[in-house]
Amino acid sequence: MKKENFKRGAKDGIPIALGYFAVSFTFGMMAVAGGLSIGQAVLISLTNLTSAGQFAGLDIILAGGSCWEMVLTQLIINLRYCLMSFSLSQKFEKNMKNRHRFVTAFGVTDEIFGISASQKGRISPYYNYGAMCVAIPGWTLGTLAGAISGNLLPDFMMSALSVAIYGMFMAIIIPPSKTNRAILAVVTGAMAFSGLFSVLPVLKEVSSGFVIIIVTLVTAGAAAWLRPVQEEEGVKVES
Amino acid sequence: MSPDIYVYIAVMAVVTYLIRVLPLVLARKEITSPFLKSFLFYVPYACLAAMTFPAILTATSSVISAVAGLITALVTAYLEKSMITVALCACAAVFVAERLLQLAGCL
């Protein structure tokens, strides 16, 4: 079982690694262009494993900001992971050992959370380990490649690879939307809501990390209130 | 004087890890509230949808190629293709769209 879960996770991690490579390539490039060493750029990717947080952190490093500024920025941008971990905590096998919690926590990213959440029923930490074993090298090696090359991947490659992650997300959210009207409403509602944040004057100023948190809380909250789900032997069905 | 680069890196890494690990370690008990359970059931869909749109529109070199990728992903996901197939089809659509745009002189 462990091996199967690990393999499944590794397979689902492939599109994640592809998308990561393009993004972290840019990160590596920007870090070195800003004056960091190749090793430092790679160290940031290896220890942080987060895109928006790293780009924001790099800005602060290059601007020579204070540590408090760094703490606050990371907290705001990455607070969505808190919500994801909270959700995953209910999704992992019951009585999962603490050591698994400490290790899987490191791999809570938008994408790995996405694939874990899309699995049926409870999940084994080995599924996450599989995904992490593919995604983390993708993220780290992308940074290394970008830092060494110092040049952008050809534009057409960057463009094409950067939609990989969104394609994956859609593969997760669209199929259940076909049969569950409540999920369909949540998906379209959340998209419309976050769309508003990108066009309306005042809302436009809100950072992308906060937009995700606000939209998730409001949309999922409204859906839970209007359409509570009933549970039947671990399989959730529409009420 | 601004802090050492390694201090910054350590601060970033520790804050980010704490955000991820605390809920996993502290919120261990199974939640029984129907509202909270339902809320957590909907969280991934709301979260992934909010992250996808409208961010996808600005992910590529042109909105047109992004829309091509978006539509391709929508269709292939609707047909319940696997994650990697949907992702690769979307990449391919963006690639083809940008080549066409380039030929047409729009890019």
Side-chain angles (χ1 to χ4, degrees):
Chain A
M1 272 314 279
K2 281 182 188 174
K3 214 173 156 187
E4 270 168 40
N5 281 312
F6 186 89
K7 268 183 161 167
R8 217 153 36 81
K11 188 173 158 252
D12 292 345
I14 296 172
I16 299 184
L18 280 181
Y20 276 5
F21 194 90
V23 177
S24 67
F25 191 97
T26 318
F27 176 79
M29 214 194 59
M30 284 177 60
V32 170
L36 267 64
S37 72
I38 295 175
Q40 287 165 342
V42 173
L43 184 65
I44 295 179
S45 283
L46 191 61
T47 54
N48 282 264
L49 197 68
T50 169
S51 63
Q54 285 185 208
F55 280 103
L58 181 64
D59 280 346
I60 295 175
I61 294 177
L62 298 182
S66 70
C67 274
W68 289 114
E69 198 180 344
M70 181 65 94
V71 170
L72 204 64
T73 307
Q74 296 301 315
L75 200 64
I76 290 170
I77 294 184
N78 291 335
L79 203 61
R80 65 183 188 286
Y81 293 141
C82 184
L83 210 58
M84 296 179 191
S85 284
F86 190 59
S87 161
L88 272 183
S89 192
Q90 299 292 312
K91 181 84 183 158
F92 278 125
E93 296 166 343
K94 283 179 189 173
N95 306 320
M96 187 169 90
K97 293 226 163 54
N98 258 335
R99 59 188 158 95
H100 289 309
R101 291 174 186 267
F102 283 115
V103 184
T104 50
F106 183 72
V108 176
T109 65
D110 301 345
E111 297 75 18
I112 295 178
F113 165 71
I115 60 169
S116 315
S118 74
Q119 299 299 306
K120 286 219 161 64
R122 301 253 171 193
I123 53 167
S124 144
Y126 289 90
Y127 177 78
N128 287 51
Y129 294 155
M132 286 164 76
C133 280
V134 177
I136 295 175
W139 184 249
T140 313
L141 293 176
T143 308
L144 180 66
I148 291 174
S149 87
N151 270 311
L152 275 166
L153 272 180
D155 271 353
F156 68 90
M157 287 274 290
M158 290 292 291
S159 269
L161 286 177
S162 51
V163 292
I165 282 166
Y166 301 115
M168 255 179 50
F169 287 166
M170 298 230 253
I172 294 170
I173 59 180
I174 304 291
S177 305
K178 286 163 65 176
T179 48
N180 188 322
R181 307 268 312 250
I183 295 179
L184 178 65
V186 166
V187 166
T188 48
M191 286 188 173
F193 197 13
S194 72
L196 281 182
F197 269 96
S198 73
V199 289
L200 292 186
V202 181
L203 297 182
K204 227 167 141 177
E205 309 303 320
V206 182
S207 79
S208 65
F210 260 138
V211 170
I212 292 165
I213 295 171
I214 297 168
V215 171
T216 304
L217 289 177
V218 172
T219 321
W225 183 52
L226 297 169
R227 279 294 191 96
V229 287
Q230 284 168 353
E231 214 169 359
E232 282 177 5
E233 292 170 14
V235 185
K236 282 155 179 157
V237 290
E238 199 184 348
S239 59
Chain B
M1 214 188 98
S2 48
D4 187 73
I5 284 188
Y6 293 99
V7 175
Y8 280 127
I9 298 179
V11 169
M12 283 169 76
V14 169
V15 173
T16 308
Y17 182 68
L18 284 179
I19 295 170
R20 286 167 164 156
V21 81
L22 291 180
L24 267 170
V25 176
L26 299 180
R28 307 187 47 127
K29 265 202 212 138
E30 187 165 14
I31 291 170
T32 46
S33 143
F35 175 79
L36 259 188
K37 269 187 140 161
S38 306
F39 172 74
L40 290 175
F41 171 76
Y42 290 119
V43 159
Y45 301 106
C47 192
L48 296 179
M51 286 192 285
T52 303
F53 192 85
I56 187 172
L57 297 180
T58 48
T60 64
S61 310
S62 135
V63 182
I64 302 174
S65 61
V67 170
L70 175 67
I71 292 172
T72 309
L74 259 178
V75 172
T76 44
Y78 190 84
L79 297 174
E80 306 201 11
K81 301 290 177 200
S82 72
M83 232 164 354
I84 180 122
T85 312
V86 175
L88 290 178
C89 287
C91 291
V94 169
F95 179 78
V96 171
E98 293 195 351
R99 290 291 73 68
L100 291 175
L101 285 171
Q102 220 164 33
L103 283 176
C106 301
L107 201 73

